[in-house]
Amino acid sequence: MLTLLLLDAGRPVSVRRLLDGLYGAEPPAGAVAALQSQISRLRRRLAPHTGIDAVPAGYTLAVDPDAVDAHCFARLAAEGRTALAAGDHPRAAALLRDALALWRGPALPDLPDAHADRARLEELRRTAVPDRIEAELGSGRGPELVAELRALLRRHPLDERLYGQLMRALHAAGRPAEALAVYEEARRTLAGELGADPSPELSALHLHLLRDGAGAPARPRLPAQLTRFVGREAELSRIDRALADSRLVTLTGPGGVGKTRLALEAARTRAGTPPDVCLVELAPLADGARIPYAVLAALGVRDGFRSPATDALDRLLAVLADREVLVVLDNCEHLVDAAARTVALLLGACPGVRVLATSRESLGITGELLVPVPPLPEEPAVRLLRDRARAVRPDFDDHARVPEICRALDGLPLAIELAAARLRTLSVDELADRLHDRFRVLARGDRAKAPRHRTLRAVVEWSWELLDAEERDLASRLTVFAGGATLDAVAAVCGMPYPEDPLASLVEKSFLEVSDGRYRMLETIRAFAAESLTDRAHPLPPETASPTDSPNPIPPAATSPT
């Protein structure tokens, strides 16, 4: 009965609990009277050191819980875990050593039926031992722990945390080969006993030790750029502020507007905050399930690529759990749903991770901060064309029609760079006069780039293919408006009484711009959509025909009735 009262020292213990502890589920007749008698005898035995108070709920042993080793152990263990979580390893180690020193034999040997209390205390003890070892490892005492950890593993051969701690202790002792061998031992044991693979955490530790032993670079690197970065000072400042305020920033804009280069420059200027930056190129991927593999590869994690996609995602979360990394996720638009799911999991599980994404539409998840990337204004567009033109014609000088070329190409950096490359064989006048057929003139691009990013037509066509049939149909019809149009004009001329949804979708996918209530296409996109309409020979309905009431398809150069 004293033990039962001590388990709740200083708190009321009900009569029912005392009866159950003394007699089991079926107490004998007169058990309550017998309990009162035993309480009286126990009071006399304990006097004058402490007393037992009768309370409405039962009885209370008037003693400080810290006078009972079970309670003192639980308190010290909890304080040790708190210190460990705060990174105060020496204090955590001292507290946990003091806690474990209170144990002398098994828990509650005089209460053979107190299964729940015994299990609780034994579980606290089982957790406190590896917590103490973790604190010792953090204090630099790894080499001293090897023998103890091996003994613990003999008693608990399925405890992955102990395997990981032994690997770290051996590595700290300068025995890396033995540390790697422990992982193989864990893998074989888990497979043989449970039919399971090591956890992502243990696999990540194994990978870390492998990379450390091989002298692999600890930080991924951004690709070096071969050309000067022109303009975008305002956008760089805005992205820097956005990344300081949000863990997910998405650069949106039409193809060819320079989102990738801007993201790389923004990441480069933030190098060191966080310390690691890596580029993940999604353009080559056709399956969203491969995104975790692409991120692992960008981080330099190469092994385990035969595992299922769920394992790859678990491994990725384990690798990034304690790291500070800025992940540049480039070209998300064709895998936007899968990219959104992966990013949401990363940000939720890895507090040190930030994501800078580029896409022609937003990822659409909570916490995302959008930075629209507009075409270049005329002055930086002219500087870009001059800079790139001098790369192919060192003697290139200014020309009065250079601003005209930049305006005709909507200030799109990709189009301007392609145009500058053509100045190797064309004069400025010849180039300017041929831009009415821009897709044929700008058909030679960087051979090192993926085909879909190599020419102006390929870039716009890539975006076009991501539209559904209704969006393509409306985009084709919108080519009638050379200078943009209001919602009412779109509804009247395009034969769509309620065009709001497809219009909003085209805006979200960077096919349209909207400003002051007017919807407008970049001339490059309009030319492609008009060309598609002509190819399909798809006239407007008679009641909403072109301004001349002609039943023929809208020509690329059609003008707005508004």
Side-chain angles (χ1 to χ4, degrees), residues 289-311:
R290 302 298 299 177
I291 292 177
Y293 295 96
V295 182
L296 285 168
L299 291 167
V301 181
R302 301 288 177 180
D303 67 322
F305 275 43
R306 297 180 181 178
S307 301
T310 53
D311 291 349

Side-chain angles (χ1 to χ4, degrees), residues 93-432:
L95 287 167
L96 289 162
R97 280 196 298 268
D98 290 345
L100 291 165
L102 295 171
W103 280 78
R104 296 175 297 277
L108 308 180
D110 298 323
L111 287 181
D113 296 327
H115 302 297
D117 289 305
R118 183 182 300 105
R120 177 180 62 83
L121 289 168
E122 291 288 0
E123 179 61 23
L124 284 175
R125 181 187 194 182
R126 196 190 70 79
T127 304
V129 171
D131 282 346
R132 190 264 305 166
I133 291 172
E134 188 69 30
E136 303 275 18
L137 284 168
S139 302
R141 299 183 59 192
E144 305 170 28
L145 300 169
V146 172
E148 180 185 0
L149 282 164
R150 289 198 186 278
L152 286 169
L153 275 169
R154 283 193 291 272
R155 295 199 298 271
H156 307 286
L158 300 179
D159 192 321
E160 290 191 73
R161 187 182 185 191
L162 293 177
Y163 280 113
Q165 290 177 334
L166 178 56
M167 290 166 65
R168 291 163 57 198
L170 286 166
H171 192 267
R175 298 152 68 180
E178 292 180 63
L180 298 176
V182 169
Y183 177 80
E184 292 303 318
E185 177 188 345
R187 187 179 60 78
R188 288 192 302 271
T189 302
L190 293 170
E193 296 292 330
L194 305 176
D197 292 327
S199 67
E201 293 79 9
L202 193 61
S203 296
L205 174 61
H206 176 239
L207 174 67
H208 173 75
L209 297 182
L210 274 174
R211 292 174 61 192
D212 187 64
R219 295 182 179 180
R221 298 178 182 273
L222 292 175
Q225 299 300 306
L226 305 180
T227 56
R228 279 193 292 270
F229 184 66
V230 177
R232 302 294 195 195
E233 290 82 4
E235 286 87 349
L236 282 174
S237 296
R238 185 177 179 189
I239 294 168
D240 190 62
R241 292 193 300 272
L243 284 170
D245 295 336
S246 175
R247 293 176 56 216
L248 170 59
V249 177
T250 303
L251 309 187
T252 61
V257 81
K259 300 183 293 297
T260 298
R261 182 66 185 270
L262 178 59
L264 290 174
E265 293 299 324
R268 189 170 284 109
T269 60
R270 287 184 61 84
T273 54
D276 291 353
V277 181
C278 73
L279 171 65
V280 184
E281 301 184 60
L282 300 186
L285 302 185
D287 181 2
R290 302 298 299 177
I291 292 177
Y293 295 96
V295 182
L296 285 168
L299 291 167
V301 181
R302 301 288 177 180
D303 67 322
F305 275 43
R306 297 180 181 178
S307 301
T310 53
D311 291 349
L313 184 57
D314 288 342
R315 162 163 276 193
L316 176 60
L317 297 179
V319 167
L320 292 179
D322 300 317
R323 290 181 63 179
E324 291 189 35
V325 182
L326 173 61
V327 177
V328 181
L329 209 59
D330 191 33
N331 289 303
C332 298
E333 57 273 349
H334 63 303
L335 303 171
V336 66
D337 291 336
R341 288 192 296 269
T342 303
V343 168
L345 288 170
L346 271 179
L347 297 180
C350 309
V353 171
R354 293 178 184 270
V355 175
L356 177 59
T358 74
S359 180
R360 298 179 199 188
E361 64 177 303
S362 68
L363 299 188
I365 61 179
T366 302
E368 180 180 29
L369 197 157
L370 298 181
V371 178
V373 181
L376 285 172
E378 184 171 305
E379 189 275 329
V382 168
R383 281 196 286 125
L384 178 64
L385 191 145
R386 289 171 181 161
D387 183 82
R388 301 303 192 258
R390 287 174 182 142
V392 297
R393 282 179 56 182
D395 61 342
F396 179 81
D397 203 355
D398 201 5
H399 192 286
R401 299 190 72 181
V402 166
E404 175 189 338
I405 291 172
C406 294
R407 288 193 298 272
L409 296 176
D410 301 302
L412 291 174
L414 173 66
I416 291 170
E417 292 188 345
L418 292 172
R422 292 291 283 152
L423 291 174
R424 183 179 181 185
T425 56
L426 296 176
S427 69
V428 174
D429 288 322
E430 289 170 336
L431 176 62

